[in-house]
Amino acid sequence: GNLASHSFSGGVGLVSSRLTLEGPVVKNKLSYIVGGRISYSDWLVRQIKDVQLKNSEAEFHDLTGKIFFHPDKNNMVSLSGYYSYDDFKLGNDSIFSWNTMNLSLKWDHIFNETFSGLFIVASSNYESHVNFEEETESFYYRNSINNLLLKYNLLYSPAERLSVSFGLEGSGSVIEPGEIDPTTRPTNVIARDVGDQRAIETAVFFQSSYDIFEDLGLSLGLRYSHFFRLGPGDIYQFDYDNLDGRYPSITDTVSHSSGDLISEFGGLEPRVSLRYGFNENSSIKASYYRTIQYTHLISNTITPSPLDFWIASGPWVEPVTSDQYSFGLFRNFRNNKYEISAEAYYKKMIHVVDYIEGADLVLNESLERGLTQGPGRAYGVELQVNRNEEKLKGWVSYTWSRSLRKFESEVPILNINSGEYYPSQYDQPHDLSFVANYRIWERSVISVNFNYKTGRPITIPVSKFGFGPVLSVLNYSGRNEYRMPDYHRLDLTITLEDKIKRNKRFRGEWVLSIYNVYGRKNAYSIYFDEYGMAHKVSILGSIFPSISYNFKY
């Protein structure tokens, strides 16, 4: 927030509006800033001559705020909050929605010229919902992950070329993998709750940055993290030698009371980075770091709208450990008007999670017996050219990358794709972005934005057969053997700025934009019915125009 004077800015448009206010409460000591956005795009969506779009809905709103207190030269305190909500409905399908609520308190304290500290308390809360309205099968589904963090960091800078930071942190999480409740009576939907998962993660860390020479810098760090999975909860025991259909049979259930230790994991996470400047325009950078991730994102990508939820590591699911190496070249030209960068990376992972063939992921109390773990690798090259001149600004960036997984086990049901590497859901080899802002006249700017991505990998039915009363049995391809259509989209914007007057406190501009200029129906998801017929879901698969007025006072 501005500590000296009050101001406000915002915009009013056909699709959404926004407003931000800021200023001092006590001049030069206490300030505020608050801003929000809201959309009302449904009426415009229904004007488009598309049957599916006419019955669709989409909206978002969010609010963010911050209070900043600077009582003296050695202390700064800030309290920040954020809330957001998004939803969409495709045709006559379910309403899918998400909301996030975050709150953080930060206290910076300067002990002396070389020593300072930072204390943080933060809370983050995320929920995902599905609201399905149908006479006999209406339901409300939700999953969530809530986290509370405490962190204290000390920074010691004894010399201009040396800085050292060290500290500790702890966080507690409550994860709800999923629950469902019927919303009408009578109904065919049965209420189910998978049950919450509770965890605590602690860490102590150290990092040092040292400029060995003016053109050579080194950074070294080490972090030790520890993870505790706590009760209450039921942990199932599995027998992989005796199958229950597609799954290992359940031989026993161990019930843990509140606060009981279910599992614990820990490990060292080192990191090192090096930079060398050949001159003021050219440099190279190299780095290595290890991370350990104790929570896992489970994605069901074969439904009309993919459902994602989180689970904690435990007796049957180990944390993911990743080692990443990177190397980059950077160069500026013509007094920094042009910037060119090229970076390559390689990432090696162990205990990556995926689901076995035919696994039932959603609302499964014994979810772990449908999961398998194995190694993964990701690698790629990122290229970017920036232009930063008065009349024409923008960039072109291109990434070639791969993301692969391998699940090979002596237990046959834990094998995927015959134990060979296959593309993960994140494998999109080609990614191209082009952004240009061209000032036509003194107060007019035209902007062009183009995006292209390789389609996501998918598993599809490649044949089918029938027998007796069963009309259709589907045979599927190898895991992620095929791909959705490639994604590409062009957007155009024209900005017309108000005439600048001397000492004018109010500034404004008109913005005319066209989203998806050539109306491509990019696939949000592709799913297959029981007969093997493919269905493509597109979001805003048509030209979408808008106009807005932005202002600042």
Side-chain angles (χ1 to χ4, degrees):
N2 194 319
L3 283 165
S5 61
H6 297 276
S7 67
F8 66 84
S9 61
V12 179
L14 294 179
V15 176
S16 65
S17 293
R18 65 189 189 277
L19 181 66
T20 300
L21 309 171
E22 63 176 315
V25 178
V26 178
K27 205 165 187 177
N28 298 322
K29 284 189 177 293
L30 180 65
S31 69
Y32 71 93
I33 182 169
V34 60
R37 300 184 300 173
I38 187 169
S39 71
Y40 33 81
S41 55
D42 290 352
W43 73 273
L44 189 57
V45 169
R46 293 179 183 131
Q47 306 306 311
I48 298 173
K49 295 179 180 180
D50 184 301
V51 175
Q52 186 182 40
L53 276 177
K54 281 182 177 292
N55 295 318
S56 299
E57 300 174 3
E59 69 161 319
F60 69 84
H61 57 264
D62 57 36
L63 181 68
T64 183
K66 182 177 182 180
I67 297 173
F68 176 79
F69 184 42
H70 191 21
D72 54 55
K73 64 178 183 179
N74 293 327
N75 291 281
M76 291 180 289
V77 181
S78 63
L79 177 66
S80 304
Y82 173 77
Y83 172 80
S84 72
Y85 173 86
D86 299 73
D87 74 33
F88 72 85
K89 176 183 177 183
L90 295 175
N92 296 316
D93 206 338
S94 309
I95 298 175
F96 299 88
S97 60
W98 303 264
N99 69 270
T100 300
M101 185 159 51
N102 299 335
L103 190 67
S104 66
L105 176 67
K106 294 171 63 177
W107 174 35
D108 290 273
H109 178 69
I110 299 173
F111 295 97
N112 53 49
E113 291 182 355
T114 61
F115 201 48
S116 62
L118 172 63
F119 177 68
I120 298 174
V121 182
S123 170
S124 65
N125 306 276
Y126 169 80
E127 291 186 0
S128 173
H129 321 91
V130 180
N131 191 1
F132 182 69
E133 297 176 352
E134 203 271 341
E135 285 187 10
T136 59
E137 295 189 352
S138 62
F139 64 84
Y140 180 76
Y141 164 87
R142 70 185 292 269
N143 65 67
S144 65
I145 177 168
N146 303 308
N147 180 270
L148 179 64
L149 169 74
L150 294 169
K151 183 176 181 178
Y152 192 61
N153 186 50
L154 293 170
L155 177 64
Y156 177 56
S157 303
E160 185 178 346
R161 292 164 53 183
L162 174 66
S163 66
V164 180
S165 64
F166 50 92
L168 50 87
E169 64 180 273
S171 65
S173 300
V174 178
I175 302 172
E176 185 175 60
E179 69 169 320
I180 189 171
D181 290 304
T183 53
T184 60
R185 296 286 191 276
T187 179
N188 296 328
V189 178
I190 300 174
R192 295 166 65 188
D193 187 348
V194 175
D196 295 347
Q197 298 178 356
R198 289 171 166 79
I200 292 176
E201 183 178 347
T202 60
V204 57
F205 55 88
F206 164 86
Q207 181 154 320
S208 175
S209 297
Y210 179 56
D211 291 339
I212 303 171
F213 304 109
E214 185 176 346
D215 51 7
L216 179 63
L218 176 68
S219 179
L220 296 171
L222 184 64
R223 183 177 188 265
Y224 178 78
S225 60
H226 209 89
F227 180 84
F228 305 89
R229 170 84 178 271
L230 304 176
D234 293 333
I235 302 299
Y236 297 94
Q237 304 301 309
F238 305 134
D239 182 0
Y240 285 90
D241 294 324
N242 296 288
L243 299 185
D244 179 12
R246 296 178 182 270
Y247 298 106
S249 58
I250 298 176
T251 59
D252 196 9
T253 304
V254 179
S255 296
H256 294 269
S257 302
S258 179
D260 287 353
L261 179 63
I262 297 176
S263 294
E264 66 174 310
F265 304 92
L268 291 171
E269 299 171 82
R271 60 191 59 192
V272 57
S273 64
L274 184 72
R275 61 171 178 81
Y276 177 73
F278 296 102
N279 50 54
E280 62 181 16
N281 294 320
S282 303
S283 65
I284 60 172
K285 298 176 184 178
S287 69
Y288 160 77
Y289 67 85
R290 166 173 287 187
T291 58
I292 303 176
Q293 182 174 316
Y294 299 102
T295 54
H296 307 269
L297 182 66
I298 307 299
S299 296
N300 183 357
T301 59
I302 59 174
T303 59
S305 179
L307 293 174
D308 297 338
F309 58 92
W310 295 88
I311 63 169
S313 296
W316 295 99
V317 182
E318 296 191 56
V320 181
T321 301
S322 304
D323 292 289
Q324 178 159 315
Y325 308 83
S326 65
F327 178 79
L329 298 169
F330 307 85
R331 181 164 174 78
N332 293 358
F333 297 91
R334 294 182 59 185
N335 296 322
N336 298 327
K337 290 181 178 179
Y338 291 88
E339 301 171 3
I340 296 178
S341 64
E343 291 187 85
Y345 69 92
Y346 181 84
K347 186 175 184 178
K348 182 180 178 182
M349 297 162 277
I350 59 172
H351 301 138
V352 175
V353 176
D354 210 336
Y355 51 88
I356 65 174
E357 301 295 346
D360 184 11
L361 299 179
V362 180
L363 296 168
N364 188 343
E365 293 180 355
S366 57
L367 173 71
E368 290 85 355
R369 66 175 179 159
L371 301 177
T372 182
Q373 291 189 279
R377 62 190 184 194
Y379 49 88
V381 177
E382 301 175 349
L383 307 172
Q384 182 159 320
V385 179
N386 288 353
R387 176 184 168 122
N388 187 26
E389 289 195 299
E390 183 80 23
K391 200 169 184 66
L392 177 61
K393 298 180 180 181
W395 71 84
V396 179
S397 66
Y398 169 74
T399 299
W400 176 84
S401 63
R402 298 303 310 269
S403 174
L404 307 173
R405 304 286 187 265
K406 182 179 180 179
F407 298 92
E408 184 179 27
S409 173
E410 296 178 357
V411 180
I413 63 169
L414 298 182
N415 282 300
I416 300 177
N417 199 43
S418 302
E420 301 294 328
Y421 274 103
Y422 66 88
S424 78
Q425 63 169 315
Y426 308 106
D427 185 71
Q428 295 178 274
H430 302 287
D431 188 331
L432 174 68
S433 296
F434 172 75
V435 174
N437 300 304
Y438 181 70
R439 185 166 292 277
I440 311 172
W441 298 292
E442 183 182 357
R443 295 182 288 111
S444 302
V445 178
I446 184 169
S447 301
V448 179
N449 175 48
F450 177 78
N451 290 287
Y452 171 87
K453 287 184 180 181
T454 305
R456 285 193 301 106
I458 56 172
T459 306
I460 71 171
V462 293
S463 64
K464 63 180 178 180
F465 65 91
F467 66 93
V470 181
L471 298 178
S472 180
V473 178
L474 304 179
N475 291 318
Y476 281 83
S477 66
R479 180 69 61 89
N480 289 345
E481 186 178 351
Y482 290 82
R483 289 187 180 273
M484 292 169 54
D486 292 349
Y487 179 100
H488 50 89
R489 194 190 80 240
L490 175 67
D491 307 326
L492 295 176
T493 300
I494 297 177
T495 303
L496 306 173
E497 302 170 355
D498 287 350
K499 190 174 182 180
I500 300 175
K501 296 180 181 180
R502 185 175 297 179
N503 299 325
K504 187 178 180 182
R505 294 184 177 183
F506 187 89
R507 295 282 185 90
E509 62 182 23
W510 289 96
V511 180
L512 294 82
S513 63
I514 302 177
Y515 175 89
N516 198 9
V517 171
Y518 49 87
R520 179 170 171 81
K521 293 183 179 295
N522 286 300
Y524 173 73
S525 68
I526 293 179
Y527 66 100
F528 300 85
D529 61 24
E530 57 186 314
Y531 303 106
M533 295 295 293
H535 300 269
K536 182 175 78 169
V537 178
S538 297
I539 297 179
L540 291 184
S542 62
I543 297 175
F544 198 78
S546 180
I547 183 171
S548 61
Y549 181 73
N550 299 328
F551 56 86
K552 185 175 182 179
Y553 180 78

